[in-house]
């Protein structure tokens, strides 16, 4: 007992030393029982710590799952928007092609109309000149 050696230098009466020994033994007895309580408390604390760690691990897994779901949702949204954009571009392109084709058709009709009118005018001019001036053109009836 190291405490005995430590306290020998302190001047006190024999009765006082006896009281101190009794207190020491009383303390040691309670500390022995408190050691049992300490180990039980230690076990309880370890169990609480393990429970908290498990709860934290569950929360962490849940958070990771939610984060993956959120990222997947964002990715799906991006893909959907990209698909909508492609569809929109395809529709615009199709409408532009149709418009250009319609304009080309109208232009061809107009050119045909111009040719027909010019041909009719040339015929009318040739007939009109022949009828008006039969001798000039070299045709004699």
């Amino acid at each position: 007992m190291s405490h005995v050696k430590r306290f020998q230098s302190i001047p006190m009466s024999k009765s006082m030393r006896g009281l101190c020994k009794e207190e020491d033994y009383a303390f040691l007895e309670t500390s022995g029982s408190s050691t049992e309580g300490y180990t039980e408390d230690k076990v309880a604390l370890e169990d609480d710590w393990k429970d908290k760690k498990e709860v934290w691990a569950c929360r962490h897994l849940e958070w990771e799952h939610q984060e993956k779901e959120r990222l997947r949702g964002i990715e799906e949204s991006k893909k959907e928007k990209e698909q909508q954009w492609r569809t929109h571009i395809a529709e615009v392109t199709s409408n532009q092609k149709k418009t250009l084709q319609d304009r080309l058709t109208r232009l061809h009709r107009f050119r045909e109309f111009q040719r027909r009118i010019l041909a009719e005018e040339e015929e009318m001019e040739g007939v009109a000149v022949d009828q008006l001036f039969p001798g000039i053109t070299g045709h004699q009836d």
Side-chain angles (χ1 to χ4, degrees):
M1 293 197 183
S2 63
H3 67 280
V4 173
K5 291 179 184 175
R6 238 165 91 198
F7 294 124
Q8 279 180 349
S9 62
I10 299 174
M12 62 174 83
S13 66
K14 286 186 181 182
S15 64
M16 197 61 172
R17 286 194 194 277
L19 283 173
C20 287
K21 280 185 183 178
E22 288 176 18
E23 287 177 1
D24 288 345
Y25 288 122
F27 171 75
L28 290 174
E29 286 177 11
T30 59
S31 70
S33 65
S34 69
T35 332
E36 292 172 8
Y38 172 75
T39 54
E40 289 173 5
D41 289 344
K42 185 177 176 183
V43 169
L45 286 174
E46 286 178 1
D47 288 343
D48 287 345
W49 180 77
K50 287 178 183 177
D51 290 343
K52 287 180 183 178
K53 189 173 181 179
E54 287 176 7
V55 167
W56 180 84
C58 288
R59 285 184 186 165
H60 187 71
L61 287 174
E62 184 179 332
W63 176 81
E64 283 181 349
H65 178 70
Q66 288 175 351
E67 188 66 18
K68 286 179 184 178
E69 286 293 319
R70 185 182 70 83
L71 292 175
R72 188 176 57 79
I74 289 171
E75 192 67 30
E76 285 179 5
S77 174
K78 279 172 120 178
K79 286 179 182 179
E80 185 178 324
K81 286 180 182 178
E82 187 175 322
Q83 184 61 34
Q84 288 174 350
W85 177 252
R86 286 181 182 162
T87 303
H88 171 71
I89 294 299
E91 288 174 1
V92 168
T93 304
S94 173
N95 288 342
Q96 286 178 344
K97 284 181 181 180
K98 186 175 184 278
T99 303
L100 287 174
Q101 192 65 39
D102 291 346
R103 288 177 71 188
L104 182 63
T105 303
R106 285 194 308 269
L107 186 61
H108 281 300
R109 282 193 217 144
F110 179 70
R111 295 289 181 194
E112 277 298 315
F113 173 74
Q114 280 182 329
R115 283 188 195 113
R116 194 176 52 214
I117 295 299
L118 286 174
E120 287 176 6
E121 284 180 357
E122 285 178 5
E123 277 181 18
M124 296 276 280
E125 283 179 5
V127 170
V129 170
D130 287 346
Q131 286 177 356
L132 293 174
F133 306 104
I136 299 176
T137 58
H139 292 262
Q140 292 185 0
D141 294 331

